[in-house]
Amino acid sequence: MTNIYENNAISALPRVLALFDESPVSKTQGVGDRYFWSWKGRDFANGTFQGAVHGLACLTAKSLLPKGMSELRMLERINYMISGTRSITRGDGSLDEILPFEKSFCVTALVAFDILSALALLHEKLTQKEIDEHLATVEPLINYILKNTESHGVISNHLAAAIAALVKWQQLTTANISNRVSQLTA
């Protein structure tokens, strides 16, 4: 069966990847808001772009990367994109979207869910050290979701994103702890 979205995803891939800072010497390596890190059109990063790791993980896990695109290179990109999220996370664990210091509940929840989903898809292709570092990147986002709520209305898709992120966090951290315990007792 043909995936009707495959051609669209593959054709958009170069544009999506071009959004992210790839420079290994940049403080913003892995940040996907080109207006922030490259063009300096904003003095804060829109965290929404960091959610692209989920789609890239899907393509990688399902072996749908286009010919000539290395799985190893894509895993490297995904790793620095997740790490890049840490550099734009506010001290309280939130991410911004449209305004500086906005503390977007929705974007924080969505990005947490997307990173955790990427980890779930790629756990066999990542080292334990990478998984631990990425969970440490997501932990402040999860803590923000747990301590805060939206005050401007009850928006069901935002609440659903938060619940999904919290459920995925529970699944992965419980599994991660179980893996560590089994490694210690083996």
Side-chain angles (χ1 to χ4, degrees):
M1 177 178 243
T2 304
N3 182 332
I4 62 171
Y5 301 107
E6 185 176 350
N7 288 339
N8 290 336
I10 298 305
S11 66
L13 196 53
R15 188 174 65 243
V16 169
L17 293 175
L19 293 172
F20 288 85
D21 184 355
E22 291 194 56
S23 174
V25 297
S26 174
K27 293 187 308 187
T28 57
Q29 182 189 30
V31 173
D33 184 354
R34 194 173 193 85
Y35 287 107
F36 170 69
W37 68 263
S38 178
W39 301 333
K40 308 297 187 217
R42 283 195 276 260
D43 58 358
F44 68 96
N46 178 343
T48 308
F49 297 101
Q50 302 309 116
V53 296
H54 188 181
L56 297 174
C58 288
L59 291 173
T60 304
K62 301 291 183 187
S63 300
L64 294 173
L65 294 173
K67 281 187 180 186
M69 187 168 284
S70 157
E71 178 181 285
L72 187 60
R73 176 70 174 112
M74 184 56 73
L75 290 169
E76 186 179 288
R77 281 182 163 134
I78 290 168
N79 280 328
Y80 72 63
M81 291 160 101
I82 295 171
S83 296
T85 303
R86 186 178 294 184
S87 72
I88 62 170
T89 301
R90 298 290 184 181
D92 64 358
S94 68
L95 295 171
D96 297 328
E97 182 181 18
I98 302 299
L99 302 169
F101 302 101
E102 175 185 13
K103 302 177 184 222
S104 174
F105 183 82
C106 180
V107 169
T108 303
L110 287 170
V111 171
F113 175 78
D114 286 331
I115 292 173
L116 293 168
S117 295
L119 293 178
L121 286 164
L122 299 174
H123 70 277
E124 293 177 357
K125 299 176 185 288
L126 299 172
T127 66
Q128 189 61 49
K129 181 180 183 229
E130 290 167 333
I131 292 169
D132 290 343
E133 288 174 1
H134 297 332
L135 289 173
T137 296
V138 176
E139 187 171 15
L141 307 179
I142 294 297
N143 288 333
Y144 181 81
I145 296 165
L146 288 169
K147 293 176 186 173
N148 295 277
T149 189
E150 287 191 313
S151 58
H152 61 276
V154 178
I155 305 171
S156 59
N157 64 314
H158 294 191
L159 297 174
I163 291 166
L166 294 171
V167 168
K168 188 66 77 173
W169 174 258
Q170 175 66 30
Q171 291 169 340
L172 291 181
T173 56
T174 301
N176 199 32
I177 291 166
S178 298
N179 287 341
R180 287 185 194 151
V181 169
S182 66
Q183 289 170 357
L184 291 173
T185 58

